[in-house]
Amino acid sequence: SQQGEEDPQALSIQEGENATMNCSYKTSINNLQWYRQNSGRGLVHLILIRSNEREKHSGRLRVTLDTSKKSSSLLITASRAADTASYFCAPSSGGSYIPTFGRGTSLIVHP
Amino acid sequence: DAGVIQSPRHEVTEMGQEVTLRCKPISGHNSLFWYRQTMMRGLELLIYFNNNVPIDDSGMPEDRFSAKMPNASFSTLKIQPSEPRDSAVYFCASKAGTDNEKLFFGSGTQLSVL
């Protein structure tokens, strides 16, 4: 299994702005998931993108995947204070489909 | 469904004591995972089970750590003896199916070893 690395480690923006977080990984993947963690809580699944997909949308979330660059990005449009959380990418590879996590991106949205 | 249930929510213990963390996965899920989260190392996979059988425990840090899943609705993670460096948040997660399925996390157990 492999770990995704999120960038930046921390992001601070104003409400209404867009937030972009990036994820890099090392080897070929089956899929890549993004999760959110609110302070003091467990992770919550946001979106899954498969290796043969390039872009996926869910509400204000847009995820892209570039397998040639081994990278993914998560865009949150028109951010809200409630989007304040840590965001993790979790690539999975091999036959086990086990997602592994890094340190995440800490997003703060100021009202 | 109540989701993944972990207990206790918080645990404070002294070095050398035995600690047991508990997890009830979502009914019908056949895979269960134990993760540990610290500021330094992020979220680490400790062990996971498929159909109650441990598949990969390579993430378990030392022999002081052990995990069991006696049935489909219950798992424990035990630390004996505990040490201050074991202080972390321990998460249990479950998922249905063996591929392309999302994880559902519990709220975690905040462990402090003094």
Side-chain angles (χ1 to χ4, degrees), chain B residues 26-83:
Chain B
I26 292 173
S27 177
H29 283 191
N30 63 351
S31 296
L32 183 141
F33 305 79
W34 283 100
Y35 287 90
R36 177 173 69 175
Q37 186 175 37
T38 61
M39 290 291 290
M40 290 291 290
R41 301 172 71 93
L43 198 63
E44 303 172 275
L45 176 64
L46 300 178
I47 185 172
Y48 75 93
F49 297 82
N50 276 350
N51 297 315
N52 312 340
V53 176
I55 302 300
D56 184 354
D57 66 353
S58 59
M60 296 284 261
E62 298 172 34
D63 291 344
R64 299 183 295 106
F65 286 68
S66 62
K68 293 182 180 178
M69 192 164 185
N71 56 62
S73 59
F74 184 65
S75 177
T76 59
L77 178 67
K78 187 175 292 187
I79 309 172
Q80 165 64 16
S82 58
E83 297 183 2

Side-chain angles (χ1 to χ4, degrees), chain A residues 1 3 30-31 33 35 37 40-45 48 50 88 92 95-103, chain B residues 9 33 35 37 39-45 48 91 95 98-108:
Chain A
S1 60
Q3 204 173 37
N30 302 314
N31 64 57
Q33 301 179 59
Y35 286 78
Q37 183 181 31
R41 306 293 237 170
L43 279 69
V44 174
H45 179 268
L48 180 151
R50 293 183 172 79
F88 296 82
S92 66
S96 61
Y97 293 89
I98 303 302
T100 55
F101 300 86
R103 290 181 178 75
Chain B
R9 192 81 171 86
F33 305 79
Y35 287 90
Q37 186 175 37
M39 290 291 290
M40 290 291 290
R41 301 172 71 93
L43 198 63
E44 303 172 275
L45 176 64
Y48 75 93
F91 288 101
K95 74 181 179 88
T98 56
D99 61 329
N100 287 349
E101 294 288 342
K102 64 185 182 183
L103 293 181
F104 292 80
F105 280 78
S107 295

